Amino acid sequence: MIAYLLGILCVASLPDLTWAWGIWVAISASALYPPLRSVSLPFSLGILIAAGYGEWQLYHRYDQSPQTLTLAVEVVSLPERRAYGYRLMLEPLDEETLPVAVRRIRLISAGYYRHDQHFASGDRLQVRLRVKPPTGLSNPGSADRERWYLSRGIDARGTVTAVVSRLPSASGWSSGRADLSSFLAGTFRPETAATLQALLTGNRSGVSESQWQWLRVTGTAHLFVVSGLHVAVAGAFGWWLGRGMMLLPALVGLSMARWHWVPSIVALLVAASYAGLSGWGIPVQRAWLMLAVFMAGNLWLQPISGWQRWRLALVAVLTLQPLAILETGTWLSFGAVALILWYVQQRTVSSVKTALSSWLGIQWVLFIGMLPLMASGFNQLSLLSIPVNLLLVPLVSIAIWVLPVLLALASMGGNIGFLAIALVEAGTSLVWSFLAWSAEVPGLHVPVSAPEGWALLCVALGVSGLLLPMPVPYRLLALPLLLPVLSPASLPPAGHFRAHLFDVGQGQALLVETAEGALLYDTGPGYGGGGAAFGYTVQPWLERRGIDRLKTLIISHADSDHSGGESFLRVRMKVENFYAGEPEHHVGATRCKAQYWQSGSVRFRFLPAFAQDADVSANNRSCVLEIETDQCRLLVTGDLDVSGEYRLLSAGYRHKPTWLIAGHHGSRDSTSSALLELLAPEQVLISAGRFNRFGHPHEEVIDRLAVHHIPWKTTSHSGALEMVADSKQCLLRSYREQQKRYWTAG
């Protein structure tokens, strides 16, 4: 099994599938040597399965330039209503007149940026759709959106610009989900309806950001998304239902020996029904498949141990979904089941315990056993997760059994319906109040930086020592091995800096780390509906680095593509010094006038192009920042245009930058020939969104760079750009090139 899984992992680590077929040929040939056959055959089979899966997924992916088409589509999932409009999952209907690249598409994730339509799952639409490849922003610490698209069979992204016609959905399973969601929204208060929709239909769009934060802090996010726990609870309900179905014939004297399979089949059907109701997403498919494998031994009355079923389930899941081997959720699910199996196995050997002590023991084992995954995948340790899960897991499990009855009573109206609604409302409100209170308990939730390799190894050894079946005093000797998980992330030495120009789309965000702390220049774009890119582009890396305080925050100017994440940042991080080009738009900010300071022996300097009282545009009020070491220099000009650049040059600025971040995202009104000629930067970096409507970086800017023989990179194609300034070199690294995988689009 291990060799087979390593074959799957090998393919998931390759930059191109061409390598996979070469490796497959070499490994298959090694099977001719008998001593290697037992390893090489399963390894080559894993490569074959994973590479075949990858080729099939890539075959469907749209990889052409964006184009606008008129398409007949069907809404195949519950539409997510958001502040800006709708997020729709669309399945194109066969049209022979469409280009081949479009006919291959299976699913399109599309936005509709208005509220003048009401969509439902199963609707058939004729739409004007701008379709583009399923690209994603590429940043360290952030989710790999392109892998997510590929694994879910989403072959294109798009924007619905017009709905030509709409045929409402007919009755069916998809319309049943929509009807249930509408019933919940129309019957309960918004908070309760959003909670029930998340539990029953898998639609989590109504859960607020503050509620998600409570769930993250308390380690209970798995309770409010349809996960393995919910599928297992539904399966348990089906099992007992099946046992009840067998009881009635037995009471009248019929032999049930040949009907032993009824409980297992009913359990799988009930779990599948619940999974289908929740949208049958990839994590739910994994959970149901795991349940099916565990039930298989009961169906055929085979003496298969729990560990054998666990291994079979893991192989089955990764065979059908090879990219799941890279998903933290996969290892959380299988890790939790493995820990429970281990605990049950130990319990059978040791003395018999009460149900309460067993439940306490399971929660403790899960907390200890999940420490490495929680630290590396979620950057937190939460002692709260033990008591909170201890209480809420049984409550949520019971709720899944009871909710169908309560919802049926609620739909009846009258006093009975009123009481059922009141009971559900009160229970939901009580749970959220408890989570809000728990999240505020001091000292029981510890954010940590992502452990380095050596620290993660120490933690894994410590966890293994704590879980070994030995006397408690001996187990406690392993506790010191857990301490490295609390170690802070390493900072650059004095006189060095490390900077990240994040891939935030059409906007800008630059993080600079020195030996004394972090500086953030701009926060990325904000969106019309109130969202911001900061939360899923910059914040994940700050969390992985354990940065919860900024030494300096600079907002170049007030345009939303530079300041859109400020409100998001200010409620999550402490800021010591705050500067802005337009301080009147930012509470607590100071104007970035000419000044010089040091941080970690790295020199920082503001270079105002215009006087403070000058009547200039917002772009020309941008903070111009120079960052310098003995070896390297970084110059950031914000959205300064040509006139501002001329003023900067006429004031005598002639320092040659190692890296120049192009003004205004590569607009033709910035990064002038004069600036390039007089400063002669070694490299130019451009922060711009792929397929942006402004055409940045502009062809004129690219031509200027070519004339001056200056190499350049843009975040839209290279992902986040990392600049490392140390005593030996000034190094530029592209995250997309470093993390190149076969599914990387472009």
Side-chain angles (χ1 to χ4, degrees):
M1 182 189 83
I2 294 176
Y4 177 72
L5 298 184
L6 286 175
I8 292 175
L9 180 62
C10 173
V11 175
S13 305
L14 294 176
D16 192 286
L17 285 179
T18 305
W19 288 91
W21 299 115
I23 295 172
W24 178 76
V25 171
I27 296 297
S28 298
S30 70
L32 298 175
Y33 183 55
L36 296 178
R37 192 169 297 160
S38 61
V39 174
S40 59
L41 284 180
F43 189 87
S44 63
L45 180 60
I47 291 176
L48 182 64
I49 293 293
Y53 168 88
E55 294 282 10
W56 176 250
Q57 296 295 85
L58 291 176
Y59 168 79
H60 291 280
R61 187 164 72 177
Y62 179 77
D63 58 0
Q64 306 296 313
S65 298
Q67 57 179 310
T68 301
L69 302 166
T70 300
L71 289 176
V73 296
E74 181 177 346
V75 181
V76 295
S77 184
L78 285 179
E80 296 182 17
R81 185 180 175 91
R82 300 183 179 177
Y84 61 74
Y86 287 91
R87 173 58 51 183
L88 305 171
M89 197 65 69
L90 305 176
E91 178 183 353
L93 303 177
D94 290 336
E95 292 189 32
E96 295 299 327
T97 58
L98 293 174
V100 174
V102 179
R103 290 205 303 269
R104 291 175 180 171
I105 295 174
R106 295 165 296 182
L107 288 176
I108 303 172
S109 175
Y112 182 72
Y113 297 94
R114 293 194 292 274
H115 287 110
D116 58 349
Q117 298 279 344
H118 177 72
F119 299 102
S121 181
D123 286 356
R124 295 202 165 197
L125 312 172
Q126 190 83 11
V127 297
R128 290 285 293 169
L129 179 72
R130 181 167 176 78
V131 63
K132 58 185 178 180
T135 56
L137 304 178
S138 183
N139 293 288
S142 299
D144 188 339
R145 200 66 179 171
E146 291 170 2
R147 187 185 76 213
W148 188 88
Y149 287 136
L150 191 82
S151 64
R152 269 67 179 174
I154 299 172
D155 303 314
R157 297 170 58 210
T159 301
V160 176
T161 58
V163 178
V164 179
S165 64
R166 173 175 172 262
L167 180 65
S169 60
S171 59
W173 191 259
S174 60
S175 63
R177 287 186 70 210
D179 292 342
L180 175 59
S181 183
S182 299
F183 167 74
L184 295 174
T187 305
F188 299 97
R189 290 185 295 108
E191 181 183 73
T192 303
T195 305
L196 295 179
Q197 286 170 344
L199 278 174
L200 298 176
T201 68
N203 182 4
R204 301 171 294 188
S205 59
V207 180
S208 69
E209 179 58 34
S210 59
Q211 289 173 325
W212 282 121
Q213 182 64 15
W214 300 338
L215 295 174
R216 284 190 289 266
V217 168
T218 57
T220 53
H222 65 103
L223 296 179
F224 290 85
V225 297
V226 181
S227 63
L229 170 67
H230 305 78
V231 174
V233 171
F237 177 80
W239 173 272
W240 287 109
L241 181 61
R243 296 284 292 180
M245 293 168 61
M246 294 179 65
L247 181 61
L248 294 177
L251 291 176
V252 297
L254 296 178
S255 174
M256 301 303 295
R258 296 183 180 180
W259 300 89
H260 64 274
W261 49 266
V262 170
S264 298
I265 292 297
V266 174
L268 291 175
L269 289 176
V270 171
S273 300
Y274 176 61
L277 186 67
S278 68
W280 202 249
I282 295 293
V284 177
Q285 293 177 31
R286 287 201 297 263
W288 186 87
L289 189 57
M290 189 189 304
L291 179 67
V293 172
F294 269 77
M295 289 290 180
N298 298 333
L299 288 173
W300 284 283
L301 295 178
Q302 295 297 318
I304 305 176
S305 71
W307 287 111
Q308 289 174 318
R309 300 183 196 206
W310 183 87
R311 289 193 292 269
L312 286 172
L314 181 59
V315 168
V317 165
L318 295 181
T319 298
L320 296 176
Q321 301 166 1
L323 287 181
I325 200 169
L326 299 179
E327 295 189 12
T328 304
T330 301
W331 300 108
L332 282 174
S333 298
F334 280 94
V337 173
L339 288 168
I340 293 172
L341 285 173
W342 178 89
Y343 178 79
V344 170
Q345 187 179 56
Q346 297 304 311
R347 180 189 171 201
T348 58
V349 174
S350 61
S351 60
V352 177
K353 303 177 181 179
T354 65
L356 178 59
S357 63
S358 297
W359 182 236
L360 285 169
I362 287 175
Q363 291 301 315
W364 176 250
V365 165
L366 288 174
F367 172 75
I368 294 297
M370 290 296 180
L371 274 178
L373 276 174
M374 295 303 294
S376 61
F378 298 96
N379 307 114
Q380 68 172 25
L381 300 176
S382 180
L383 285 172
L384 282 168
S385 64
I386 298 177
V388 175
N389 277 283
L390 194 66
L391 178 63
L392 290 188
V393 168
L395 289 179
V396 172
S397 301
I398 293 170
I400 293 174
W401 284 33
V402 173
L403 268 177
V405 177
L406 292 176
L407 294 180
L409 293 175
S411 66
M412 295 172 59
N415 292 332
I416 294 179
F418 176 79
L419 289 174
I421 293 172
L423 182 60
V424 174
E425 295 272 13
T428 304
S429 179
L430 186 62
V431 167
W432 283 120
S433 298
F434 172 68
L435 288 171
W437 175 82
S438 299
E440 297 298 325
V441 176
L444 295 182
H445 171 259
V446 182
V448 296
S449 59
E452 298 181 10
W454 68 270
L456 197 59
L457 178 60
C458 285
V459 173
L461 291 174
V463 166
S464 300
L466 287 172
L467 294 180
L468 286 175
M470 298 187 300
V472 172
Y474 293 105
R475 282 195 251 174
L476 293 178
L477 294 175
L479 277 176
L481 292 173
L482 301 182
L483 294 179
V485 78
L486 300 175
S487 60
S490 59
L491 292 172
H496 300 182
F497 73 81
R498 181 172 53 242
H500 283 89
L501 181 64
F502 290 97
D503 181 14
V504 294
Q506 189 61 18
Q508 184 169 281
L510 172 72
L511 177 71
V512 182
E513 293 181 78
T514 70
E516 292 183 13
L519 173 149
L520 184 66
Y521 181 102
D522 286 340
T523 61
Y527 306 124
F534 183 90
Y536 55 88
T537 56
V538 182
Q539 181 69 21
W541 182 243
L542 296 178
E543 291 177 351
R544 287 189 68 80
R545 297 287 299 155
I547 299 173
D548 59 0
R549 176 189 297 270
L550 291 175
K551 193 170 184 64
T552 306
L553 171 64
I554 302 170
I555 303 294
S556 62
H557 62 301
D559 286 359
S560 64
D561 56 337
H562 294 256
S563 64
E566 180 193 348
S567 59
F568 188 97
L569 177 148
R570 296 301 297 273
V571 299
R572 288 164 177 78
M573 304 193 72
K574 296 178 181 178
V575 176
E576 295 182 21
N577 304 292
F578 185 17
Y579 300 99
E582 298 179 279
E584 63 271 18
H585 296 290
H586 309 279
V587 177
T590 303
R591 188 179 302 279
C592 47
K593 59 185 179 181
Q595 67 183 93
Y596 166 90
W597 74 96
Q598 287 196 18
S599 174
S601 299
V602 176
R603 301 178 289 277
F604 293 81
R605 181 164 62 137
F606 283 135
L607 303 166
F610 296 92
Q612 293 185 23
D613 56 354
D615 184 16
V616 295
S617 66
N619 287 349
N620 277 330
R621 298 184 70 184
S622 294
C623 299
V624 179
L625 178 67
E626 180 191 66
I627 307 169
E628 183 183 17
T629 68
D630 293 339
Q631 303 292 330
C632 314
R633 182 179 291 110
L634 169 63
L635 181 63
V636 195
T637 62
D639 276 0
L640 202 68
D641 66 17
V642 172
S643 64
E645 294 174 354
Y646 285 168
R647 289 293 298 264
L648 192 66
L649 295 171
S650 64
Y653 184 79
R654 292 294 188 278
H655 293 173
K656 177 185 177 69
T658 310
W659 304 292
L660 169 67
I661 297 182
H664 204 183
H665 320 291
S667 164
R668 63 181 175 182
D669 297 324
S670 300
T671 319
S672 61
S673 292
L675 187 78
L676 297 176
E677 182 175 347
L678 293 176
L679 299 188
E682 295 181 19
Q683 293 173 309
V684 170
L685 315 181
I686 305 171
S687 181
R690 185 176 289 196
F691 310 127
N692 68 83
R693 60 190 177 94
F694 305 103
H696 296 160
H698 199 277
E699 290 182 2
E700 290 185 20
V701 174
I702 304 305
D703 291 341
R704 290 174 205 158
L705 294 171
V707 167
H708 291 87
H709 307 288
I710 298 173
W712 59 278
K713 286 184 180 293
T714 175
T715 57
S716 60
H717 290 90
S718 299
L721 296 168
E722 181 186 13
M723 292 152 273
V724 179
D726 58 32
S727 57
K728 297 180 180 179
Q729 60 183 342
C730 305
L731 180 64
L732 178 68
R733 292 192 286 237
S734 160
Y735 184 72
R736 190 177 283 273
E737 292 170 4
Q738 283 185 296
Q739 300 296 320
K740 174 72 175 173
R741 296 293 183 267
Y742 75 79
W743 57 82
T744 305

